[in-house]
Amino acid sequence: MNLLDQIKNAVYEGLEDETSAMVQAAVDKGTSPQAILDTMMEAMEMVGEEFKNEELYIPEVLCSCYAMQNGSEVLKPLLLENQQTATGTIVLGSVKGDMHDIGKNLVKMMFEGRGFKVVDIGIDVPEERFVEAAVQEKADIVACSALLTTTMPEIPKIVKAFEDAGVREQFKIMIGGAPITQDFCDKTGCDAFAKDAGSAAETAVQICRN
Ligand code: B1M
């Protein structure tokens, strides 16, 4: 089994320490950080399939999450090398009803690496909290993560909450998460969509440079 397959297996099995060690070994061998990240994402896809089929249960899924997070920490400095930076404040949260935060945390890491101040307002965030935090922090961007088809409808509610508060024009709203698409972004009146953490950071840099 090659090293990338071993990393995939370690994340799948939820082996936290082994994942960090193998990721470090792959980095030392010169494997691209993006390839390692993609491999860990593939493992999470496998976990997701088995979770759906009730072949894996929440504690096992959480072990895989922690392993992925450990591996991402090793990659952090490498993923952020030689990137354009910008200044600005981003309020970031997972929408109401959504407890998923691994993707959000990865997005946060990439934002911070590009020089942004990130105010992480956590998971299960109601729309009024996004507005309150954005106003309080004088944010440039409001970034919303949604991982469930059942929590996607929170996005237009967030847009409406900004409109109702009379502050919609003051903030750029960026959305992302597995079920989110550019089409959904356009239909819900958001300003930007990003499919992954790297492009979220790139998009934020472009927004704050314009
Ligand atoms: Co959940 N879950 N889960 N889960 N879970 C999914 C999302 C699912 C696809 C699994 C499946 O059925 N195959 C499915 C959703 C189906 C759907 O809606 N279509 C699902 C379900 C159904 C559920 C529950 C309802 C299960 C239940 O209880 N019956 C429940 C809901 C809880 C809730 O939120 N209310 C639930 C619970 C959980 C756990 C608690 C066990 C755990 C979350 C733990 C945690 O996050 N701390 C969990 C996990 C881990 C997953 C899977 C397996 C992995 C998600 C993950 O961390 N991926 C997931 C299956 C899968 O994704 N294939 C699944 C790795 C992460 C790095 O990727 O989050 O996609 P991701 O983030 C990416 C991009 O999406 C993007 O960038 C990231 C990386 O580049 N991105 C953004 C994310 N946010 C962004 C924001 C941006 C831009 C890009 O701009 C602002």
Side-chain angles (χ1 to χ4, degrees):
M1 209 191 277
N2 71 32
L3 198 45
L4 284 178
D5 285 338
Q6 288 178 42
I7 291 171
K8 193 191 288 183
N9 195 48
V11 173
Y12 170 77
E13 295 286 351
L15 306 174
E16 298 172 43
D17 295 343
E18 287 85 345
T19 301
S20 306
M22 284 178 202
V23 168
Q24 188 61 59
V27 167
D28 294 343
K29 273 183 64 183
T31 312
S32 101
Q34 191 58 53
I36 301 171
L37 191 61
D38 291 345
T39 296
M40 293 197 291
M41 292 286 289
E42 282 172 30
M44 293 307 290
E45 288 291 330
M46 285 160 54
V47 168
E49 263 318 290
E50 297 193 8
F51 182 39
K52 185 171 75 182
N53 299 333
E54 297 182 3
E55 291 157 9
L56 285 180
Y57 295 97
I58 290 178
E60 295 158 309
V61 175
L62 289 178
C63 288
S64 295
C65 290
Y66 300 141
M68 161 119 200
Q69 239 155 6
N70 275 13
S72 306
E73 279 301 319
V74 176
L75 295 179
K76 188 172 176 176
L78 300 156
L79 287 167
L80 304 175
E81 266 174 9
N82 304 322
Q83 304 273 19
Q84 268 192 327
T85 57
T87 52
T89 299
I90 302 177
V91 162
L92 169 69
S94 298
V95 303
K96 186 171 160 188
D98 212 313
M99 310 297 168
H100 296 88
D101 69 354
I102 310 290
K104 172 183 73 61
N105 295 343
L106 213 48
V107 169
K108 178 182 180 183
M109 183 173 105
M110 298 304 273
F111 282 155
E112 287 179 339
R114 295 295 195 102
F116 291 101
K117 174 186 170 193
V118 181
V119 180
D120 184 349
I121 53 174
I123 55 173
D124 189 20
V125 179
E127 58 268 32
E128 59 274 17
R129 177 73 189 115
F130 277 102
V131 177
E132 182 189 69
V135 170
Q136 195 176 328
E137 300 291 339
K138 299 186 173 58
D140 300 283
I141 299 172
V142 175
C144 313
S145 178
L147 260 289
L148 298 168
T149 43
T150 51
T151 56
M152 286 170 74
E154 291 302 317
I155 304 272
K157 289 187 197 166
I158 293 168
V159 175
K160 185 165 184 304
F162 276 88
E163 288 168 354
D164 290 349
V167 295
R168 175 67 185 92
E169 299 311 315
Q170 292 176 31
F171 308 102
K172 297 290 184 199
I173 300 180
M174 184 194 296
I175 57 173
I180 306 287
T181 61
Q182 182 63 54
D183 187 46
F184 182 77
C185 173
D186 297 339
K187 286 189 175 135
T188 52
C190 293
D191 300 295
F193 156 73
K195 72 171 177 19
D196 56 34
S199 40
E202 184 57 38
T203 305
V205 169
Q206 298 313 323
I207 289 173
C208 288
R209 290 191 161 213
N210 290 331

